[in-house]
Amino acid sequence: MKGNSSTTMQLIIQLPPRSEQLEINRARWNEVLADRRLTELPFRIETNALGQILMSPPPSVGHSNRQGRITILLDRLLGGVSLPECPISTLDGVKAADVGWYSLERFSKVDGQSACEIAPEICVEVLSPCNTHSEMQNKRSLYFEAGAEEVWICDLDGSFLFYCASDQEQPKTQSTICTDFPASI
């Protein structure tokens, strides 16, 4: 065959019902939290649907700065409960949102869980240079499936895209939950 040819392949993954995946995530995440060797690693740890551990490099100073500023702003503007590195039980294992924001009412439903089985109303991902568009699209879908109302993406320059559960593919220029949150930090 001469020249470039491209073929499109479709991948279909059969996932268990959410209740079964939550059980798998709960058991595996408790094992991860109990393993002292993992707490000593300088990596961010998440799991996939099979319970396998996924590790990412630690965040940079800029990433940590943006994450901290977002947490402080959410606390100031909304109250409620802001959680950095918020572990969320999803259909693809436990994922850690850089920041999760809960109303007090919703937080009372997850308080005491090792990984939140209901996503925060707001899930924020702070981009790092190694993040890909498809990775962020996948995390958005997982957070919405777990109950998030909004997913925010903070770019390397501190600018935001706000996605809503009602229109998950079309970014907005402003949050509907926290209308006073700036479009850039």
Side-chain angles (χ1 to χ4, degrees):
M1 180 184 270
K2 292 186 178 184
N4 290 338
S5 75
S6 66
T7 58
T8 302
M9 295 181 62
Q10 185 176 14
L11 174 65
I12 299 174
I13 300 173
Q14 191 68 31
L15 298 172
R18 181 161 176 74
S19 59
E20 285 180 34
Q21 189 62 51
L22 288 177
E23 279 185 47
I24 293 166
N25 293 348
R26 192 178 307 120
R28 183 61 176 138
W29 198 246
N30 285 330
E31 290 173 1
V32 167
L33 293 175
D35 189 334
R36 289 180 184 254
R37 295 170 301 168
L38 294 175
T39 62
E40 295 171 3
L41 295 174
F43 301 103
R44 179 181 195 176
I45 295 176
E46 296 179 326
T47 62
N48 65 15
L50 303 173
Q52 297 166 323
I53 293 173
L54 308 172
M55 290 189 269
S56 303
S60 67
V61 172
H63 183 282
S64 292
N65 180 37
R66 289 187 297 279
Q67 185 178 16
R69 291 175 67 195
I70 293 164
T71 302
I72 290 167
L73 279 168
L74 284 170
D75 284 343
R76 232 182 251 153
L77 295 170
L78 292 177
V81 179
S82 297
L83 301 173
E85 301 297 323
C86 180
I88 303 167
S89 191
T90 75
L91 287 177
D92 189 27
V94 176
K95 305 301 178 202
D98 288 308
V99 181
W101 177 83
Y102 280 100
S103 64
L104 293 175
E105 179 184 344
R106 187 179 281 204
F107 184 72
S108 70
K109 297 175 184 176
V110 300
D111 192 15
Q113 296 177 350
S114 57
C116 302
E117 296 182 10
I118 302 169
E121 285 100 323
I122 299 172
C123 295
V124 184
E125 284 295 326
V126 177
L127 293 184
S128 295
C130 63
N131 291 130
T132 65
H133 175 73
S134 62
E135 177 186 3
M136 290 301 105
Q137 189 174 19
N138 186 45
K139 278 196 163 185
R140 273 197 336 260
S141 296
L142 291 168
Y143 295 155
F144 282 130
E145 191 284 327
E149 294 176 18
E150 291 187 0
V151 177
W152 302 357
I153 306 295
C154 178
D155 208 339
L156 297 172
D157 65 0
S159 63
F160 285 86
L161 293 175
F162 303 93
Y163 294 86
C164 299
S166 60
D167 187 2
Q168 297 177 14
E169 297 302 318
Q170 195 62 258
K172 311 288 185 246
T173 58
Q174 183 180 33
S175 167
T176 57
I177 296 173
C178 188
T179 55
D180 291 334
F181 199 91
S184 183
I185 56 169

